[in-house]
Amino acid sequence: MENLKIASDNYVAFTFFIGTMAMMAASVFFFFELNNTSKKWRTSVLVSGLITFIAAVHYYYMRGYNLSTGDSPTFFRYVDWILTVPLMCVEFYLITKKAGSKIGLLWKLIFASLVMLVTGYFGETIDRDRSVLWGVISGAAYFYIVYLVWFGEVAKLSQSAGPSVAKATKILGWFVLVGWAIYPLGYILGTPGGLFGIQLVADAAAASHAMDIVYNIADAINKIGFGLVIYALSRNED
Ligand SMILES: *C/C=C(C)/C=C/C=C(C)/C=C/C1=C(C)CCCC1(C)C
């Protein structure tokens, strides 16, 4: 690739670069640790590695795209999320499996995450003028996931799956409640509808830059952090 330089004040390009490297390093870690992970947890740790690996490939592309065009790689951002968020749902299903989680629960989580992401994509791209409406629909699907993890089936199953799973589910619940809530913040900063019509960043280019930086930070926290919680759980023997 051409030798494009990241200007020292280009925080968007910088966070894409750091994001790529962090996702790569996390993937190597999860994959190599599979060898000394007990059989019972191996699939869960493998899924952690797949999440960061898929993100690493997308970040590598997004980094180059952003550096050479200066634009926000919205399409591949959402392709990444549509692959990785359902895999996070798979993690909830896998860790509660020994307490009897059913495939129906997995589909519920996946369906809600797809509604959340597809409506968010509409608000960011083809129907930007109604970004508030799409954001609200997306938010409803998001709160349904929060509900399932905190009070619904995931929470109940985790209680009967032993103290380690219950504890890990609680921490993952915080990731979903607080870590995932960073994304709507990026959306509010970056879309013309803003916060119910109040546009926080008026300049279009600055708004899109703010959005990318917020999304990049959120991805690093949520993908790597989430994976590490699963990894820590795999080190507990019960
Ligand atoms: C690895 C990627 C993750 C965990 C992505 C998560 C994305 C979200 C939780 C996005 C949520 C959104 C809303 C709740 C409303 C506005 C539109 C979205 C898609 C940014």
Side-chain angles (χ1 to χ4, degrees), residues 51 78 80-81 84-85 88 116-117 119-121 124 134-136 138-139 142 180-181 183-184 187 215 218-219 222-223:
I51 291 168
Y78 274 86
D80 174 6
W81 289 354
T84 52
V85 177
M88 295 172 141
M116 176 180 86
L117 296 172
T119 52
Y121 183 72
E124 273 193 45
W134 292 115
V136 168
S138 174
Y142 162 70
W180 289 21
Y183 295 96
Y187 182 90
Y215 284 169
D219 274 351
N222 288 297
K223 292 183 165 64

Side-chain angles (χ1 to χ4, degrees), residues 88 175-176 179-180 182-183 217-227:
M88 295 172 141
F175 272 93
V176 173
W180 289 21
I182 304 170
Y183 295 96
I217 292 170
D219 274 351
I221 294 172
N222 288 297
K223 292 183 165 64
I224 300 170
F226 202 95

Side-chain angles (χ1 to χ4, degrees), residues 148-221:
L148 284 175
V149 173
W150 277 83
F151 311 107
E153 278 168 76
V154 175
K156 284 176 193 139
L157 287 163
S158 78
Q159 296 300 327
S160 42
S164 306
V165 172
K167 188 171 156 232
T169 306
K170 196 86 279 156
I171 303 172
L172 294 177
W174 281 108
F175 272 93
V176 173
L177 184 67
V178 179
W180 289 21
I182 304 170
Y183 295 96
L185 187 73
Y187 182 90
I188 285 166
L189 290 172
T191 50
L195 191 62
F196 298 105
I198 305 161
Q199 214 172 327
L200 301 176
V201 186
D203 174 67
S208 131
H209 292 164
M211 185 184 217
D212 271 323
I213 292 171
V214 171
Y215 284 169
N216 290 351
I217 292 170
D219 274 351
I221 294 172

